[in-house]
Amino acid sequence: MSLQIDAARLSAEIDKLATFSESPAPSVTRLVFSKEDKEARRFLAERFEAAGLSIRVDAIGNTFARWQGSDSERKPVGTGSHIDAIPNAGKYDGVVGVLGPLEAVRALQGSGFKPVASIDIILFTSEEPTRFGLGCLGSRMLAGNVTPDAADSLRTPDGYSLDDLRNAAGIPGDLGSVRMEPGAYDAFVELHIEQGPILERESIDIGVVERIAAPAAWRVRFVGEGGHAGAVLMPRRRDASLGGAEAALALEKHVLELGSPDGVATTGVFQIRPGAINSVPFEANLEVDIRDTDHRARQAVEGAFQASVAAIAQRRKLELTLTRINSDPPAICDPRLVQMAETAANESGCTVRRLVSRAYHDSLFMSLIAPVTMIFIPCHQGFSHRPDEFSSSDQIAKGVNTLARLLEKLAS
C-alpha cells in the first residue's frame, strides 16, 4: 500500500496548536477546560470535520472523531491521546497522538482505503493531573476506574469542582454516561513521543510498547510542634520537616533495595509550614509517586514505605496522616497487537524495537476495555514536559506511517 504522509501539513498543525497557550512560545501551557483548551478543541474539530469525520463529545469532554466503516456490526478501532499541557511544557507530548492519527486517516483516505470497521480518533480530557491532581481523568472515566461520585468530589487547588469547569467550558451532561463497557473497542493504539532517550540513543525509528508502568501516589502529613529556631533546644524538638526528609530518603532506599528494573519513586511535593528560616517547622506535607511494571514489586515498596513513615512518626513524636491518592495496576500490552505494530513498522521501512513505557498514558486505562499497545517515536535527549521537547517532522512521519498501516490492518 502506498501512503503519502504530508509531513509539512502535520508540522504546521502542530505549530498552530502550540499557539493556543497561556505561556509564550516556545513553552506551551494549556490547562484542561481553560480558554486555551477550548480554542484548541475548536481548531481540532475544524480539522476533523474537514477530513469528513463525525464528532461526538461525551460529558467529561472526551472527543471522538469517527471515520465510519462499512460494517456497523464490527467493533470500532481506537487511537488517540491528549492535548492538555502542564505549565511550561512542550508542543509534542500528547499532541502527536491526536494530530498524527488525523494525518494517518487522511493518508489512508488518499490511498483509496475503505475501512470495514470504524476508526475513532479520541481526544482524551485531562491526561495531565495539573488541575485535579489525578491524571488520565477522561480515560479513567471511560474505563470506569473513577466513578461519577468520585469525579464530583474533585477540586482544583483554587476550589473549583469538575462540574464548575466543564459546564463553564460548554461540556454538560451526566457523568454516568461516560463509561464504556469492556470490549467496546476491538483495539486501541496510541502514538506518542517516547519521553525517554532509548530510541534516539540507539538510532531506532519506532518503539512498540509491550508494558506500561503504573503509579501509586500517596500523601503524607507530619505534624509536630513549632517554635523559635533559637529557643527550642534540640532534645525537645518535634520538627516535622525532619520527619519528611527521613520519609523521602526511606522511599528511595526501599526502591533501590528491592532492585526491580522498572521500579522508581519520587517525592515530588515537599511543603513545610510556616516556612520561615527562624522557625521550627510544625508541619510537613509530602506527595510521593511510586511506579513499576511489576505490580507486586510496587506493592512491596508501598508496604515498606507505610511501615517506615509510621516508625518515623513514632520515633520523632509526630502526628501522621497517610492517604493513598491512587493506585493503578500496570498494563501488559496485547501480544498480537504488539506483533502487528512491529510488522507495520517494518512495512514502513522503519527500524523497530520493543519498549517499556515508564510514563503512564491514557492507554493504561484503555487496556481495561480493549487490547492496547503504543507506538513511540524518538524525542531529543528524551526531553519532555519542557519547552525544548522536540521530535523532527521525519520522525513523526515515520510514526504516522506505522500507525496508518496498523489501522489499515485492524479496520480491514
Side-chain angles (χ1 to χ4, degrees), residues 7 34 37 64 82 100 102 127 176-177 182 187 189 191 194 205 212 230 239 275 293 314 326 335 338 350 386:
S34 65
D37 181 52
F64 304 79
H82 67 99
L102 173 59
E127 193 268 354
S177 66
V189 184
L191 176 65
E194 183 191 356
D205 300 319
I212 305 172
D239 186 331
T293 58
Q314 183 176 28
N326 65 278
V338 169
C350 296
R386 45 190 280 182

Side-chain angles (χ1 to χ4, degrees), residues 19 42 52 70 73 119 151 166-167 181 193 240 330 348-349 361 379 404:
T19 66
R42 186 181 301 116
S70 60
E73 298 300 314
I119 297 174
R166 69 187 182 98
N167 288 326
E181 294 299 319
I193 61 171
S348 301
H361 305 273
C379 58

Side-chain angles (χ1 to χ4, degrees), residues 45-59:
E46 292 170 355
R47 307 313 300 152
F48 290 147
E49 288 172 348
L53 309 183
S54 61
I55 297 174
R56 177 178 73 87
V57 181
D58 70 13

